[in-house]
């Protein structure tokens, strides 16, 4: 397959190759509101031009009014350093269901819903950081109110963490939630103990 097919300058990387799996904006927003954990991908580019990619798993909150994602990490570290360079960032969120057995090694599958967000992240400061941290805390812990169930966010708190906002430029939603995986003709079906879909960790 031609490498140009995957050239982001020629083909929008937010467009899934399989139209039947694509999902609309409302579906994407619902998943971003529902799932509290994701992974942000950033890069560090050295003075010699070499690029070092990093993926950081963390809790996040989607803010539709600002059209961004907010999250926080340690006050120093690779995510802060990478973000400060100003390169584009990508954020991934996934919801998984059952593992789907098959008698074909290429058809073994899993139920999943996923969103990829494309944009640019920056570090927040002052009241912007405080507001984002409150939104993040209350979103990850539904029903909790900062300042009521916890103490307020202090200046010392803000000095001890880095709070980020990833401005959303594009996004892509994808779902494959089939009841069963495809099976290969001409090969015996799986025995009963292996044939039924199951959740990760259920089978020994």
């Amino acid at each position: 397959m031609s490498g140009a097919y995957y050239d982001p300058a020629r083909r929008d990387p937010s467009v899934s190759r399989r139209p039947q799996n694509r999902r609309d904006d409302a579906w994407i927003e619902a998943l971003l509101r529902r799932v509290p954990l994701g992974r942000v991908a950033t890069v560090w580019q050295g003075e010699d031009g070499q690029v070092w990619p990093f993926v950081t798993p963390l809790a996040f909150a989607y803010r539709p009014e600002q059209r961004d994602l907010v999250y926080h990490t340690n006050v120093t570290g690779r995510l802060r350093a990478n973000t400060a360079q100003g390169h584009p960032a990508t954020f991934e969120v996934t919801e998984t269901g059952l593992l789907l057995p098959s008698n074909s090694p290429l058809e073994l599958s899993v139920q999943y819903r996923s969103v990829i967000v494309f944009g640019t992240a920056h570090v927040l400061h002052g009241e912007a950081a405080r507001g984002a941290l409150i939104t993040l805390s209350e979103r990850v812990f539904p029903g909790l109110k900062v300042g009521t169930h916890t103490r307020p966010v202090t200046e010392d708190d803000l000095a001890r963490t880095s709070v980020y906002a990833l401005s959303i430029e594009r996004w892509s939603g994808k779902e494959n939630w089939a009841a069963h995986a495809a099976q290969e003709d001409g090969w015996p079906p799986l025995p009963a103990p292996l044939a039924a879909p199951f959740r990760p960790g259920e089978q020994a």
Side-chain angles (χ1 to χ4, degrees):
M1 183 176 291
S2 171
Y5 184 81
Y6 292 100
D7 184 351
R10 300 189 182 191
R11 184 179 186 277
D12 187 342
S14 68
V15 178
S16 172
R17 291 185 299 110
R18 298 180 177 179
Q20 71 274 18
N21 291 344
R22 296 176 193 164
R23 296 298 180 261
D24 61 18
D25 289 351
W27 185 95
I28 290 172
E29 288 195 306
L31 189 139
L32 290 178
R33 292 174 187 271
R34 184 169 68 247
V35 179
L37 302 176
R39 287 146 288 276
V40 61
T42 58
V43 297
W44 171 268
Q45 186 169 20
E47 293 181 359
D48 60 357
Q50 185 171 1
V51 173
W52 300 85
F54 292 100
V55 175
T56 307
L58 36 68
F60 77 98
Y62 167 57
R63 301 193 299 184
E65 298 81 6
Q66 291 89 341
R67 192 170 167 77
D68 65 11
L69 307 178
V70 293
Y71 45 94
H72 80 111
T73 64
N74 291 333
V75 67
T76 60
R78 65 190 184 194
L79 184 57
R80 172 107 183 206
N82 292 1
T83 301
Q85 286 195 331
H87 303 301
T90 305
F91 203 99
E92 180 270 339
V93 180
T94 300
E95 188 173 61
T96 58
L98 299 176
L99 295 171
L100 307 177
S102 172
N103 63 354
S104 168
L106 294 184
E107 297 297 339
L108 294 164
S109 188
V110 61
Q111 295 173 331
Y112 70 88
R113 304 181 180 102
S114 66
V115 168
I116 304 293
V117 170
F118 303 83
T120 302
H122 60 279
V123 179
L124 299 175
H125 301 281
E127 290 306 308
R130 191 191 312 275
L133 198 56
I134 291 171
T135 296
L136 173 62
S137 301
E138 295 180 349
R139 185 274 168 121
V140 174
F141 296 91
L144 180 144
K145 293 295 180 184
V146 174
T148 299
H149 302 111
T150 74
R151 61 171 173 74
V153 176
T154 67
E155 292 298 319
D156 183 60
D157 292 330
L158 296 179
R160 293 168 51 202
T161 190
S162 293
V163 185
Y164 307 84
L166 194 160
S167 299
I168 299 171
E169 298 170 6
R170 294 167 293 166
W171 57 21
S172 174
K174 185 177 178 182
E175 180 177 29
N176 184 2
W177 209 266
H180 301 280
Q183 306 297 314
E184 189 170 295
D185 293 334
W187 191 258
L190 290 170
L194 297 177
F198 62 96
R199 295 195 178 280
E202 283 185 349
Q203 290 192 346

